[in-house]
Amino acid sequence: MMLEEFQQSLRKFTKERDWSQFHTPENLAKSISIEAGELLETFQWHSTPDVQRVSEELADVMTYCLLLADAIGVDAVEVMAAKLEATRKKYPIEKARGRSEKYDRL
Amino acid sequence: MMLEEFQQSLRKFTKERDWSQFHTPENLAKSISIEAGELLETFQWHSTPDVQRVSEELADVMTYCLLLADAIGVDAVEVMAAKLEATRKKYPIEKARGRSEKYDRL
Amino acid sequence: MMLEEFQQSLRKFTKERDWSQFHTPENLAKSISIEAGELLETFQWHSTPDVQRVSEELADVMTYCLLLADAIGVDAVEVMAAKLEATRKKYPIEKARGRSEKYDRL
Amino acid sequence: MMLEEFQQSLRKFTKERDWSQFHTPENLAKSISIEAGELLETFQWHSTPDVQRVSEELADVMTYCLLLADAIGVDAVEVMAAKLEATRKKYPIEKARGRSEKYDRL
């Protein structure tokens, strides 16, 4: 399925339930943190991913992200592409290769 | 830009920097929580979104989500679509319309 | 230093800056998540604690926790003691010893 | 109850269940983020605190914080007191009064 097609289903799903009244940017930002916590819980005491559980929690985080992109009126892919360009400049290949330090410590 | 095109750039970006060694599912799940916190910070003391800052932090959360989908070998859109189907069953329109309660309290 | 003494300093610090207007329970709950993310960031790509950084971020999380306890009018130690009693019942020694599973899977 | 007394109960509780093997600093930092998310969930769609639920989730966050302080060998109250001194310098009363901006924007 294409992202755009999924986004259409999601918007219809939300509209049918009259849930956009709850989807303020702030509530969605809270929801993303909450769901990120549930995703992290699948790794609370170990490092091994349970692919089914991880997928479901990851889906929740991403879905709220798409709703937030809609709520603030931006295109999800465009903002990622713009940020990747910025990150590319902060982490030039020759300096960043094989290193996990923050750009200001490279 | 299409999602697939962005994902190709992201994979190339990661590969050029030899960063996939750091991108274990667990590290990515931690990264999603960390970035979700930075996103939430843009709403720490008020409810009004600063669209530029929110977009940048949202981009970080979503980008790590796509990396995690890759790391566990699932398709990001497919897992969202599967989860939406499950949510649709938990929240039938007639019971859920206009209500923010969890499904077990509807 | 005793906890009570620290709490007195913290309340005075907040009052002098007229900050209790920002310390609604919701804003403090957001702040705890934000600071928890900063704490987690000290472990983003590895497992080894940097004691100085961890201490500072941990201090931020705990300080917002104490402010939230004040904001909802409960005693921080009493609520922990009450919760520990509940947890004790959910995780009897003989069933829980050496196991990290959730109580409903023991 | 005094904090020290609670900490003794908590250490005994952990020891009886042989759980310190799970309580690495990293696992506890993850646990703090997870529980912070559950605390935030009590404010997901509104601002009004449910004191009982908030107290229970707050207790979980604080309890993991105390376990982390033990795991890295620091005193919980001392690290908060040290951090408050640092914050006091960043936010002088005359500049910070009644303002929620970060110190670098004051």
Side-chain angles (χ1 to χ4, degrees):
Chain A
M1 189 187 286
M2 304 294 285
L3 178 61
E4 290 69 21
E5 191 187 337
F6 173 72
Q7 287 176 299
Q8 291 308 328
S9 310
L10 179 61
R11 287 171 194 137
K12 185 158 174 288
F13 172 90
T14 304
K15 192 160 189 243
E16 286 169 347
R17 282 157 189 77
D18 194 18
W19 279 358
S20 47
Q21 60 182 308
F22 307 122
H23 292 176
T24 63
E26 184 188 20
N27 284 353
L28 293 168
K30 286 186 279 177
S31 300
I32 290 167
S33 264
I34 294 164
E35 296 296 342
E38 295 189 11
L39 170 60
L40 190 62
E41 194 180 359
T42 71
F43 297 96
Q44 186 167 15
W45 305 117
H46 57 81
S47 300
T48 319
D50 171 336
V51 173
Q52 181 59 31
R53 280 184 72 203
V54 174
S55 297
E56 290 177 20
E57 300 300 345
L58 178 59
D60 287 339
V61 178
M62 290 189 295
T63 301
Y64 278 122
C65 285
L66 293 177
L67 290 168
L68 178 53
D70 275 5
I72 61 169
V74 300
D75 179 87
V77 179
E78 295 306 328
V79 298
M80 284 192 284
K83 188 66 191 275
L84 188 62
E85 282 319 298
T87 308
R88 207 185 288 284
K89 288 187 184 108
K90 276 185 180 168
Y91 295 90
I93 297 174
E94 59 279 13
K95 282 176 76 179
R97 193 184 290 116
R99 302 180 60 185
S100 63
E101 287 89 350
K102 263 201 148 169
Y103 66 93
D104 51 7
R105 294 180 198 168
L106 282 177
Chain B
M1 188 188 286
M2 304 293 285
L3 178 62
E4 290 69 20
E5 191 187 335
F6 172 72
Q7 287 176 300
Q8 291 308 329
S9 311
L10 178 62
R11 287 171 193 138
K12 185 159 175 287
F13 172 91
T14 304
K15 191 161 190 240
E16 285 169 348
R17 283 157 190 77
D18 194 18
W19 279 358
S20 48
Q21 60 182 306
F22 306 122
H23 292 175
T24 62
E26 184 188 18
N27 284 352
L28 293 168
K30 285 185 280 176
S31 300
I32 290 166
S33 263
I34 294 164
E35 297 295 341
E38 295 188 11
L39 170 60
L40 190 62
E41 195 180 359
T42 72
F43 297 97
Q44 187 168 13
W45 306 116
H46 57 81
S47 300
T48 320
D50 171 336
V51 173
Q52 181 59 33
R53 282 184 70 204
V54 173
S55 297
E56 290 177 21
E57 300 301 344
L58 178 59
D60 287 338
V61 178
M62 288 189 296
T63 301
Y64 278 122
C65 285
L66 293 177
L67 290 168
L68 178 51
D70 275 5
I72 62 167
V74 300
D75 179 88
V77 179
E78 294 307 327
V79 298
M80 283 192 285
K83 188 65 192 274
L84 188 61
E85 282 318 298
T87 309
R88 208 186 289 282
K89 286 186 187 111
K90 276 184 178 168
Y91 296 89
I93 297 174
E94 59 279 14
K95 281 176 76 177
R97 195 184 288 118
R99 302 180 60 184
S100 64
E101 287 90 350
K102 263 203 147 165
Y103 65 93
D104 51 7
R105 294 181 197 169
L106 283 177
Chain C
M1 191 189 283
M2 304 295 284
L3 177 61
E4 289 71 19
E5 191 187 338
F6 173 73
Q7 287 176 299
Q8 290 308 329
S9 309
L10 178 61
R11 287 173 194 137
K12 184 158 175 286
F13 171 92
T14 303
K15 190 159 192 244
E16 284 170 347
R17 282 156 189 77
D18 194 18
W19 279 358
S20 46
Q21 61 183 305
F22 306 121
H23 291 176
T24 63
E26 184 188 19
N27 284 352
L28 293 168
K30 286 185 279 177
S31 300
I32 290 167
S33 263
I34 294 164
E35 297 295 341
E38 296 189 10
L39 170 60
L40 191 62
E41 195 180 359
T42 71
F43 296 96
Q44 187 168 13
W45 305 117
H46 58 80
S47 300
T48 319
D50 171 335
V51 173
Q52 180 60 30
R53 281 184 71 204
V54 173
S55 297
E56 289 177 21
E57 300 301 344
L58 178 60
D60 287 339
V61 179
M62 289 190 295
T63 300
Y64 277 122
C65 285
L66 293 178
L67 289 168
L68 178 51
D70 275 6
I72 61 168
V74 299
D75 179 88
V77 179
E78 294 306 328
V79 298
M80 284 193 283
K83 190 64 191 276
L84 188 62
E85 281 318 299
T87 309
R88 206 185 290 283
K89 287 189 184 106
K90 276 185 180 170
Y91 295 91
I93 298 175
E94 60 278 14
K95 282 177 77 178
R97 194 184 289 117
R99 301 179 62 184
S100 64
E101 287 90 349
K102 260 199 152 171
Y103 65 94
D104 50 8
R105 294 181 197 169
L106 282 178
Chain D
M1 191 189 282
M2 304 295 283
L3 178 61
E4 290 69 19
E5 191 187 337
F6 173 72
Q7 286 177 301
Q8 291 308 329
S9 310
L10 178 60
R11 287 171 193 138
K12 184 159 176 285
F13 172 91
T14 304
K15 191 159 190 241
E16 284 169 348
R17 282 157 190 78
D18 193 20
W19 279 357
S20 47
Q21 61 182 307
F22 306 121
H23 292 174
T24 63
E26 185 188 20
N27 284 353
L28 293 169
K30 286 186 279 176
S31 300
I32 291 167
S33 263
I34 294 163
E35 297 295 341
E38 296 189 9
L39 171 60
L40 190 62
E41 195 180 0
T42 70
F43 296 97
Q44 187 168 15
W45 305 116
H46 57 80
S47 301
T48 319
D50 171 336
V51 174
Q52 180 60 30
R53 281 183 71 203
V54 174
S55 297
E56 288 177 21
E57 300 301 344
L58 178 59
D60 286 339
V61 179
M62 290 190 293
T63 300
Y64 277 122
C65 285
L66 293 177
L67 290 168
L68 178 51
D70 275 5
I72 61 169
V74 300
D75 179 89
V77 178
E78 295 306 329
V79 298
M80 284 193 283
K83 189 65 191 278
L84 187 62
E85 282 318 299
T87 309
R88 206 184 289 283
K89 287 187 186 108
K90 277 184 178 170
Y91 296 90
I93 296 175
E94 59 278 15
K95 282 177 76 179
R97 193 183 290 117
R99 302 179 61 184
S100 63
E101 286 90 349
K102 261 202 151 169
Y103 65 93
D104 51 8
R105 293 180 198 169
L106 280 178

